[in-house]
Amino acid sequence: MIENDWLGPLSAEFKKPYYAKLYRFVNDEYRTNTIYPKQKDVFAAYDRTPLANVKVLILGQDPYHEPDQAHGLCFSVNPGIDIPPSLVNIYKELHDDMGCYIPDNGYLVKWADQGVMLLNTVLTVRAHYANSHRGKGWEEFTDATIAALNSQDRPIVYMLWGRPAQQKMAMLNNPKQLVLTAAHPSPLSAYKGFFGCRHFSKANDFLVSNGLTPIDWQIENLKG
């Protein structure tokens, strides 16, 4: 469960019929199948990045569905796991945009701890079956999350990559906030507008212009 300041705006969701149905479904799935991420990590994006701390929202789709990858933060993988192709391309854009070196890992906790909320629209997935928990209720819950951010009376940057993420644009109408869109960083689409989007420097420029500390996007190497 969520225990920090996200609980206020989201507490009503836990009482709605869709969430009761979702809760039963997810519990049954964990009991009868292999589900990612681990149950303790389902709400990791909320735990790592309290509402009051959110400066940037990066929106993914559903968790990685192969062993030991997903840990509750979109695009991020556990230490020791190969960097997935989309994150490889994110790192390439970071290198070209900000001069960051390409690290030896895909563990993005450093971003989350600085206020970059790494949220998937669907928070669980069955092993080896992408999108297997789509349409079960998570989207309604994460839409409520986005609505809570949109209602904050302060600057926030949204990075919406690919069509599914960009469908959330209709929810985002706060004049104090910045919405950035680009193609998805997947190898299938990165050359169609993700590379060269310069979202990371644009986000930092916006934060600084509003008197906020910019994000240190450099993920450090874990190996010596």
Side-chain angles (χ1 to χ4, degrees):
M1 289 291 290
I2 293 170
E3 297 178 346
N4 60 14
D5 62 353
W6 276 110
L7 193 56
L10 296 177
S11 58
E13 302 305 306
F14 296 122
K15 302 179 180 73
K16 293 181 179 179
Y18 88 85
Y19 193 86
K21 187 175 179 181
L22 170 65
Y23 184 84
R24 289 192 298 271
F25 168 77
V26 171
N27 269 358
D28 286 345
E29 283 284 277
Y30 272 104
R31 193 164 59 248
T32 57
N33 294 283
T34 300
I35 304 300
Y36 301 124
K38 294 177 181 176
Q39 276 185 291
K40 68 179 180 63
D41 291 331
V42 169
F43 293 111
Y46 300 84
D47 296 338
R48 278 280 180 181
T49 314
L51 175 57
N53 293 0
V54 177
K55 295 178 176 178
V56 178
L57 175 71
I58 297 178
L59 196 62
Q61 294 179 37
D62 70 334
Y64 296 122
H65 54 268
E66 296 303 325
D68 300 322
Q69 291 182 308
H71 64 104
L73 306 180
C74 76
F75 294 107
S76 182
V77 290
N78 280 306
I81 301 299
D82 288 345
I83 302 172
S86 291
L87 185 51
V88 168
N89 287 337
I90 290 170
Y91 284 162
K92 287 179 181 176
E93 175 61 20
L94 262 174
H95 175 267
D96 293 345
D97 184 16
M98 302 287 295
C100 297
Y101 67 80
I102 308 294
D104 62 8
N105 67 94
Y107 193 52
L108 304 182
V109 164
K110 177 182 175 180
W111 292 358
D113 289 346
Q114 294 180 82
V116 181
M117 189 175 193
L118 298 168
L119 181 69
N120 282 310
T121 55
V122 174
L123 301 187
T124 54
V125 68
R126 189 183 292 187
H128 316 303
Y129 292 96
N131 295 314
S132 49
H133 286 184
R134 185 169 56 186
K136 301 297 184 181
W138 279 129
E139 293 92 342
E140 192 166 344
F141 185 80
T142 52
D143 276 0
T145 304
I146 295 167
L149 289 169
N150 182 69
S151 69
Q152 296 293 296
D153 186 28
R154 58 189 176 86
I156 295 174
V157 182
Y158 303 88
M159 296 185 184
L160 305 181
W161 299 333
R163 189 170 299 164
Q166 289 168 22
Q167 289 173 346
K168 308 301 181 184
M169 283 180 66
M171 303 175 61
L172 300 172
N173 58 9
N174 188 325
K176 292 188 176 181
Q177 301 178 353
L178 176 66
V179 180
L180 301 173
T181 64
H184 195 275
S186 147
L188 298 174
S189 56
Y191 287 96
K192 298 176 182 177
F194 178 75
F195 290 137
C197 72
R198 301 185 65 84
H199 279 190
F200 305 99
S201 60
K202 288 176 180 177
N204 276 358
D205 288 347
F206 178 78
L207 293 173
V208 170
S209 72
N210 283 281
L212 298 171
T213 305
I215 305 298
D216 177 4
W217 293 106
Q218 179 68 66
I219 300 294
E220 284 83 13
N221 287 335
L222 289 177
K223 298 171 185 172

